[in-house]
């Protein structure tokens, strides 16, 4: 175990949340060990400002729970304690131990294929360190003695800007294939290189991602693409050919169609930029872009067969979503707006008539119009549609009606109804 004293690292307590410091102090006072761990230590050492703080301790979840009034034990697969301070939650995890072949107890379970099912064997700091995913994620900070503990060479890798799986990558990926996605995620987020063996083993183990439940893949999708580093993450996932485990069809189309790839890339850049500017983002927009090439191909095929465009895009959207959710769950609150964005695209091609003039006021117009611009920027040929809608949208309805050849606003019908119905 490498112990780095206070004057040889850059972590200052000033950058640690008071709540986390409180939790650790209380645990220490009760005679337990308590360390800051994981992403927070990594980001502090890199000079960043962590957004959340995880604590590791030798106290059992029950003991932690007893120490804090505002604590709650959660999780089944991993029992952890959430200690709540207003809106901030400090996650406290008990050191986890080995779960080797000799373990016949009921606390840790491994499936026949080596996948870790349950993992509640408690252990020491050293054991806890080696069961973590990456060396740079396995550093511990003792806020009482101001020392950093490194049991796996994480500091050196941090210095060399290297993502390295702890232990034998093949074994670690087999235990939990999502670790491969985490490797890509952190490499993109931190702009680190991936150590050779960590990278090579991905080719051998990638197929294991085919068995990950659809719901967990969606969770991971959000972490991969909604954290401000979507563009780099996408390129790395494509390079390692892992995108196909999340979106098989989309991944194949992106590999063969540069326009589709350009569209998805700009949607990702767009999302990254909005996050950087603290604007709101929705996964619906990214998902709409990722699956658009498939929707478009299917819909245009149907149109060729004589189906009306609005019907074709509706049906293609439905088929594409149904196909996608076989691999990755997409909650309805996201798939619904996605489909609306897609279905809006053929409607935007109508430049004539009253309907066109009124489209601008539709609640999905903005998202659909943004999506249209994205398609054009990617090189899709639309015959200047974007320009048309850019020009028309800011105008009052009266002028829009004229430009779309719909004439004036609807002529008032001669009053045939009796009396005045309350309107002046
Ligand atoms: P972020 O900045 O994205 O929150 P993080 O490092 O805190 O980064 P989390 O997903 O919050 O990442 O996980 C917290 C810690 O738990 C990690 O640093 C890692 O040590 C450990 N961990 C998370 N997922 C796994 C996994 N699948 N296998 C092993 N260890 C993991
Ligand atoms: Mg975290």
């Amino acid at each position: 175990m490498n112990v780095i004293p206070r004057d040889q690292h850059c972590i200052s307590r000033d950058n640690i949340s008071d709540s986390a410091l409180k939790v650790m102090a209380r645990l220490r006072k009760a005679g337990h060990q308590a360390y800051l761990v994981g992403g927070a230590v990594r980001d502090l050492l890199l000079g960043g400002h962590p957004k959340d703080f995880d604590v590791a301790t030798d106290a059992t979840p029950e003991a932690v729970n007893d120490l804090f009034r505002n604590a709650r034990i959660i999780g089944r697969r991993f029992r952890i304690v959430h200690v709540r301070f207003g809106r901030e939650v400090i996650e406290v995890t008990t050191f986890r131990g080995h779960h080797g072949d000799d373990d016949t107890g009921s606390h840790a379970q491994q499936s026949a294929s080596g996948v870790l099912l349950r993992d509640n064997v408690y252990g020491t700091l050293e054991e806890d360190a080696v069961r973590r995913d990456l060396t740079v994620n396995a550093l511990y900070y003792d806020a009482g003695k101001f020392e950093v503990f490194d049991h796996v060479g994480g500091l050196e890798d941090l210095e060399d800007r290297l993502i390295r799986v702890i232990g034998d990558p093949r074994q670690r990926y087999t235990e939990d294939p999502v670790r491969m996605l985490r490797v890509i995620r952190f490499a993109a987020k931190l702009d680190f290189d991936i150590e050779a063996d960590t990278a090579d083993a991905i080719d051998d183990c990638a197929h294991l991602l085919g068995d990950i439940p659809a719901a967990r893949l969606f969770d991971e999708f959000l972490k991969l693409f909604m954290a401000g580093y979507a563009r780099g993450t996408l390129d790395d996932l494509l390079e390692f050919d892992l995108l196909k485990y999340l979106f098989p069809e989309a991944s194949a189309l992106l590999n063969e169609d540069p326009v589709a790839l350009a569209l998805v890339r700009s949607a990702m850049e767009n999302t990254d930029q909005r996050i950087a500017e603290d604007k709101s983002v929705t996964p619906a927009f990214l998902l709409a872009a990722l699956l658009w090439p498939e929707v478009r191909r299917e819909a245009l095929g149907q149109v060729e067969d004589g189906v009306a465009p609005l019907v074709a895009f509706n049906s293609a959207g439905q088929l594409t979503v149904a196909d996608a959710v076989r691999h990755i769950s997409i909650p309805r609150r996201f798939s619904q707006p996605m489909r609306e964005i897609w279905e809006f695209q053929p409607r935007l091609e109508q430049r004539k008539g009253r309907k066109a003039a009124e489209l601008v006021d539709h609640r999905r117009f903005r998202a659909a119009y943004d999506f249209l611009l994205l398609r054009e920027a990617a090189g899709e040929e639309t015959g200047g549609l974007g320009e048309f809608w850019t020009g028309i949208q800011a105008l009052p309805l009266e002028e829009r009606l004229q430009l779309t050849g719909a004439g004036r606003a609807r002529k008032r019908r001669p009053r045939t109804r009796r009396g005045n119905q309350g309107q002046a």
Side-chain angles (χ1 to χ4, degrees):
M1 172 78 70
N2 197 358
V3 183
I4 299 93
R6 119 183 254 179
D7 56 348
Q8 284 171 42
H9 63 73
C10 66
I11 296 184
S12 149
R13 280 172 52 117
D14 295 345
N15 297 327
I16 302 174
S17 102
D18 288 339
S19 315
L21 291 173
K22 247 185 251 170
V23 167
M24 292 188 284
R26 170 101 45 105
L27 282 163
R28 283 197 308 271
K29 208 169 154 215
H32 301 292
Q33 301 176 50
Y35 306 92
L36 201 62
V37 69
V41 183
R42 178 197 69 217
D43 293 346
L44 285 167
L45 285 165
L46 288 171
H49 296 272
K51 53 178 169 30
D52 48 37
F53 295 86
D54 297 334
V55 169
T57 179
D58 61 350
T60 63
E62 291 73 21
V64 177
N65 195 42
D66 287 346
L67 273 178
F68 300 94
R69 238 183 340 110
N70 42 344
R72 231 178 82 189
I73 300 184
I74 61 153
R76 247 157 48 98
R77 195 174 119 94
F78 299 132
R79 281 161 63 77
I80 55 185
V81 183
H82 277 179
V83 187
R84 185 175 285 279
F85 298 85
R87 290 174 59 190
E88 190 180 6
V89 173
I90 304 298
E91 204 168 281
V92 185
T93 316
T94 305
F95 292 151
R96 275 197 277 276
H98 288 304
H99 31 68
D101 297 337
D102 54 327
D103 189 297
T104 50
S106 60
H107 295 298
Q109 278 181 15
Q110 226 158 3
S111 75
S113 59
V115 178
L116 215 49
L117 298 177
R118 279 202 292 134
D119 188 12
N120 274 325
V121 181
Y122 304 129
T124 62
L125 189 156
E126 285 85 351
E127 289 170 326
D128 189 71
V130 298
R131 64 94 197 167
R132 290 183 181 269
D133 55 351
L134 310 175
T135 58
V136 294
N137 282 349
L139 296 162
Y140 297 70
Y141 178 65
D142 181 334
K145 296 200 182 109
F146 310 99
E147 291 167 341
V148 173
F149 290 75
D150 178 11
H151 189 57
V152 294
L155 274 172
E156 205 180 316
D157 287 338
L158 212 53
E159 201 111 298
D160 299 341
R161 304 180 70 80
L162 266 188
I163 295 296
R164 183 199 309 269
V165 163
I166 298 168
D168 171 33
R170 283 165 190 81
Q171 185 191 334
R172 302 304 310 286
Y173 294 155
T174 305
E175 284 170 6
D176 181 6
V178 168
R179 287 175 186 150
M180 290 181 271
L181 298 177
R182 291 178 59 88
V183 164
I184 304 294
R185 172 152 77 89
F186 288 112
K189 169 178 166 158
L190 304 172
D191 195 19
F192 278 22
D193 287 329
I194 303 175
E195 179 271 330
D197 204 25
T198 294
D200 290 346
I202 291 182
D203 283 341
D204 301 336
C205 301
H207 66 278
L208 298 171
L209 281 167
D211 296 329
I212 300 299
R216 187 159 181 224
L217 280 187
F218 185 73
D219 289 346
E220 210 52 37
F221 165 82
L222 293 180
K223 292 188 190 171
L224 284 162
F225 292 111
M226 303 302 287
Y229 312 89
R231 168 63 203 272
T233 304
L234 175 79
D235 287 345
D236 289 356
L237 284 177
L238 286 171
E239 186 188 327
F240 282 88
D241 201 16
L242 293 183
L243 190 68
K244 66 180 180 201
Y245 297 101
L246 301 165
F247 305 98
E249 289 293 324
S251 164
L253 282 170
L254 294 189
N255 278 319
E256 68 196 31
D257 180 359
V259 172
L261 182 59
L263 174 90
V264 174
R265 277 188 173 149
S266 30
M268 306 248 160
E269 278 166 13
N270 203 293
T271 300
D272 290 345
Q273 176 145 15
R274 289 185 62 93
I275 291 174
E277 292 166 2
D278 251 333
K279 293 187 185 157
S280 70
V281 285
T282 165
F285 199 74
L286 272 192
L287 287 164
L290 264 166
L291 299 176
W292 169 251
E294 201 179 332
V295 172
R296 182 167 181 268
R297 190 187 53 175
E298 170 66 30
L300 294 182
Q302 291 191 20
V303 169
E304 230 163 78
D305 293 342
V307 179
L310 298 194
V311 178
F313 275 87
N314 176 296
S315 143
Q318 191 171 345
L319 286 171
T320 301
V321 170
D323 202 40
V325 297
R326 291 191 299 129
H327 303 275
I328 185 163
S329 14
I330 304 176
R332 193 174 286 277
R333 66 180 184 282
F334 301 131
S335 62
Q336 193 57 37
M338 275 156 60
R339 290 186 50 191
E340 286 172 13
I341 289 174
W342 296 332
E343 285 165 22
F344 224 97
Q345 302 306 307
R347 296 173 71 183
L348 289 173
E349 294 189 14
Q350 300 291 330
R351 301 187 209 197
K352 291 267 164 263
R354 166 167 296 277
K355 277 213 173 116
E358 287 172 350
L359 215 49
V360 169
D361 297 321
H362 191 285
R363 69 185 170 84
R364 276 292 168 226
F365 175 81
R366 185 74 217 180
Y369 162 77
D370 285 345
F371 196 75
L372 171 69
L373 295 187
L374 208 63
R375 289 170 53 204
E376 289 187 339
E380 255 191 67
E381 192 40 69
T382 69
L385 263 191
E387 204 182 335
F388 172 77
W389 290 106
T390 304
I392 196 174
Q393 61 178 300
L395 302 175
L397 180 62
E398 196 71 31
E399 286 176 44
R400 276 186 261 147
L401 284 165
Q402 268 166 23
L403 283 169
T404 59
R408 317 175 135 275
R410 203 185 293 277
K411 268 202 208 112
R412 219 164 260 181
R413 292 221 199 131
R415 282 202 191 182
T416 52
R417 264 182 262 164
R418 256 175 297 127
N420 179 328
Q421 311 238 318
Q423 287 127 292

